[in-house]
Amino acid sequence: MSRRLVVLLGVLGLAAFSFPTAAAAAPATVKVMTLNIFYGGDEWNPETGHWCRSPAGCPETLEQVASTIRAADPDVVGLQEGTANECRLADMLGWFCEPRLQLISRFPLIDPPGASGVYALAEVASGRFVAVSNVHLPSDPYGPYWVRDGEPRSAVLALERSTRLPAIQRQLDVLPDLAASGVPVFLTGDFNSPSHLDWTPAVDAARDQVRYPVVWPVSAALAGAGFRDSYREIHPDPVAVPGFTWTPPGTLESVPDEVYDRIDWVLVQGPAETLGTKLVGETGGPDVDVERDVYPTDHRGVVSTFRVTPANPDPFAAVASRRAFVGDDLTVHVHGPGARVVLVRAGHGPAAALASRSMGGMVDADLTFATDSLVPGADEALLVDAAGAVSSRSPFWLYAAGTAPSVRTTKGVYEVGEQIRVRWRAAPGYRWDWMGVFAPGRGPAQNAEDCNAGSCGNGHYLLYRYTETLIQGSALIGPASLDGYRSWPLKVGTYEIRLLMDDGYRLLAISNSFKVVHAAT
């Protein structure tokens, strides 16, 4: 659920990425899980019911998260509230990670050209893939609480359409076409919304907390786009099997008049058949199939099993990291036949090669490039065929060794109501990196690099917005920004922007201070 951060997704241009079906592999079994791990999985001790006091968090609690995942036995997990712990968790499991999307998997994970942070590929068999997208929708205001507190259905629907529906627009724009091209597509997430499959007239008659039926816009839109709810495919009766994921009793964010609901889903479309599904949670919990005596988070998880026909995409080359530093090795994942991989300045062709390596007849290989002799800048890795044509372009930023993330405003003084242009560079480029507006000196912002528990002095943000996966870019703080401890417009005063990491409070950079003043008369 997370009442600290919510997700605002901007619409970016997405390149076409073709998945021909003719060369599809034999069917395989894939188990997909969704799990909100509660503030990085290492900030709360469920045995004591207290926050972890160490700035680095509580590793024993993260081990309980890992143990829970082992017990559920998935192949791919979409995490929420990962707060830069995704790869730590993957290492504990001996798995792969894709922190940009908070994904971990026993299968290799690839960020393909054109996906633009909407999905990643999991290589379930050699050269054969499924696509996985993962979301964490806005938590506040929470629709079921509005129902509980007496708001009319029209107000609740308006809230959902304005707050949560825009946050899945990129998935609606991209994923159905991907599935139509022959790739199995999974969408995991903490949707912070009930399902239209659950708030039915029959449930309204059976549950006092459901005051009226609701066709919840997010689930209805996803169903309309072709997604199937794996839990409801196996348990179609929401009265007999509610399958609540929010929230196990006694967790820190539960309230006395809690509205229990099913807000964590594993959705699917494309060539995939749902074989089974299980609810993961505390021992003795309602409808819980995988029980844990110490359950380490405030959301129950869902793990669903599918029979899939994995897809064989057109050839591509994908950089393993979109942010690289001079002196580091750059790994490029290659799928399918190609003559060579060429590094170029962004927008250039293979004739302007900065570095080149022959494929030597290999397919589905990893090539490594030294970057010692390269100059920092915006670059691309090209896959070039034998005729010299470019099959794919994978962008990355190369920075000088030791370059730290930075953020700044374009002016030092703004009038009340004037939007604030913010620029940043060398950010990790994760989906949930964010920028907050703070009053200077509010909290010990210069937290240690390993600060990963609590707010690290960065909790009192006034407004915020996400970087939308951009490693280097610019954005406006203005009416479209999300409210923190203040709403737009900013009042007269002095402020700063802080760049923070991956849906958490780990500080990356602080801007110049700037002033907001009354408009000149």
Side-chain angles (χ1 to χ4, degrees):
M1 169 82 68
S2 184
R3 293 173 175 80
R4 293 193 299 186
L5 298 178
V6 296
V7 176
L8 177 66
L9 298 176
V11 177
L12 303 178
L14 299 172
F17 197 49
S18 174
F19 283 81
T21 58
T29 299
V30 176
K31 297 173 72 174
V32 181
M33 183 178 187
T34 189
L35 185 66
N36 182 316
I37 65 173
F38 194 64
Y39 298 159
D42 66 350
E43 297 194 14
W44 173 63
N45 187 322
E47 294 185 275
T48 65
H50 298 300
W51 293 104
C52 302
R53 297 300 181 187
S54 168
C58 297
E60 66 274 14
T61 306
L62 195 62
E63 175 53 46
Q64 291 169 341
V65 174
S67 177
T68 297
I69 293 172
R70 291 189 194 101
D73 193 32
D75 298 308
V76 183
V77 184
L79 301 171
Q80 299 87 44
E81 299 188 38
T83 68
N85 278 343
E86 302 89 4
C87 292
R88 286 181 62 194
L89 193 55
D91 287 344
M92 295 166 70
L93 296 165
W95 284 10
F96 300 89
C97 69
E98 175 46 71
R100 187 184 191 190
L101 286 171
Q102 296 195 3
L103 295 173
I104 61 174
S105 173
R106 67 174 77 249
F107 302 128
L109 292 168
I110 296 172
D111 180 8
S116 297
V118 175
Y119 65 92
L121 298 178
E123 190 174 18
V124 302
S126 180
R128 300 296 185 265
F129 301 86
V130 301
V132 187
S133 184
N134 183 44
V135 297
H136 185 193
L137 270 55
S139 60
D140 292 314
Y142 186 46
Y145 290 170
W146 278 31
V147 176
R148 176 198 64 194
D149 296 341
E151 293 289 342
R153 179 165 41 202
S154 58
V156 173
L157 289 172
L159 169 69
E160 296 298 309
R161 291 174 182 138
S162 63
T163 302
R164 272 166 281 277
L165 193 57
I168 59 163
Q169 191 57 53
R170 293 176 71 193
Q171 284 70 31
L172 292 172
D173 290 341
V174 174
L175 299 180
D177 289 342
L178 199 59
S181 72
V183 58
V185 175
F186 300 100
L187 176 58
T188 60
D190 168 5
F191 290 82
N192 278 312
S193 168
S195 171
H196 70 292
L197 300 174
D198 294 355
W199 282 52
T200 63
V203 173
D204 174 33
R207 287 185 60 201
D208 291 340
Q209 289 181 315
V210 176
R211 297 180 56 245
Y212 40 72
V214 180
V215 179
W216 294 93
V218 166
S219 64
L222 289 166
F227 277 102
R228 310 187 306 275
D229 185 324
S230 63
Y231 194 83
R232 280 286 166 253
E233 284 189 295
I234 301 300
H235 302 293
D237 185 349
V239 175
V241 186
F244 296 147
T245 62
W246 176 260
T247 176
T251 57
L252 286 178
E253 291 196 310
S254 180
V255 295
D257 52 351
E258 187 60 79
V259 181
Y260 298 104
D261 225 309
R262 190 177 68 90
I263 63 175
D264 303 83
W265 315 327
V266 177
L267 307 182
V268 61
Q269 66 171 303
E273 176 190 0
T274 305
L275 302 179
T277 189
K278 294 181 179 180
L279 196 65
V280 184
E282 76 284 11
T283 297
D287 301 325
V288 170
D289 304 291
V290 180
E291 298 182 326
R292 306 298 295 163
D293 286 336
V294 177
Y295 189 66
T297 176
D298 63 341
H299 287 246
R300 298 184 183 103
V302 178
V303 58
S304 297
T305 303
F306 303 92
R307 181 183 291 112
V308 304
T309 302
N312 174 29
D314 286 339
F316 66 83
V319 294
S321 176
R322 297 181 307 119
R323 181 183 66 167
F325 298 91
V326 173
D328 293 344
D329 288 340
L330 178 73
T331 299
V332 181
H333 303 299
V334 182
H335 165 69
R340 57 196 171 114
V341 173
V342 179
L343 305 186
V344 299
R345 281 289 184 229
H348 287 80
L354 304 172
S356 178
R357 285 201 58 186
S358 170
M359 287 294 296
M362 295 185 298
V363 295
D364 298 299
D366 288 349
L367 299 182
T368 301
F369 290 82
T371 62
D372 305 74
S373 62
L374 300 183
V375 176
D379 298 314
E380 293 175 312
L382 312 183
L383 181 61
V384 182
D385 66 20
V390 176
S391 301
S392 75
R393 292 176 174 267
S394 183
F396 67 97
W397 285 93
L398 184 65
Y399 293 97
T403 300
S406 61
V407 61
R408 64 180 178 87
T409 62
T410 56
K411 298 197 307 183
V413 179
Y414 297 85
E415 294 182 351
V416 172
E418 181 183 1
Q419 297 193 82
I420 299 157
R421 173 68 65 177
V422 182
R423 300 187 187 278
W424 68 93
R425 67 191 301 268
Y430 297 166
R431 173 100 159 256
W432 290 283
D433 291 346
W434 59 290
M435 298 174 293
V437 181
F438 292 79
R442 181 77 188 205
Q446 300 288 354
N447 54 275
E449 290 184 0
D450 65 351
C451 185
N452 197 42
S455 65
C456 305
N458 296 304
H460 205 85
Y461 51 90
L462 306 176
L463 295 163
Y464 69 100
R465 65 163 298 156
Y466 286 86
T467 64
E468 297 169 354
T469 78
L470 296 179
I471 288 170
Q472 185 161 315
S474 69
L476 291 171
I477 299 291
S481 300
L482 297 168
D483 295 348
Y485 287 84
R486 189 171 297 172
S487 58
W488 182 263
L490 291 171
K491 299 177 181 178
V492 170
T494 302
Y495 303 95
E496 66 189 18
I497 307 294
R498 298 180 195 174
L499 178 62
L500 298 119
M501 188 175 181
D502 197 30
D503 214 8
Y505 291 117
R506 192 178 300 183
L507 182 70
L508 295 170
I510 303 177
S511 77
N512 54 288
S513 63
F514 62 94
K515 291 182 178 181
V516 174
V517 300
H518 289 298
T521 58

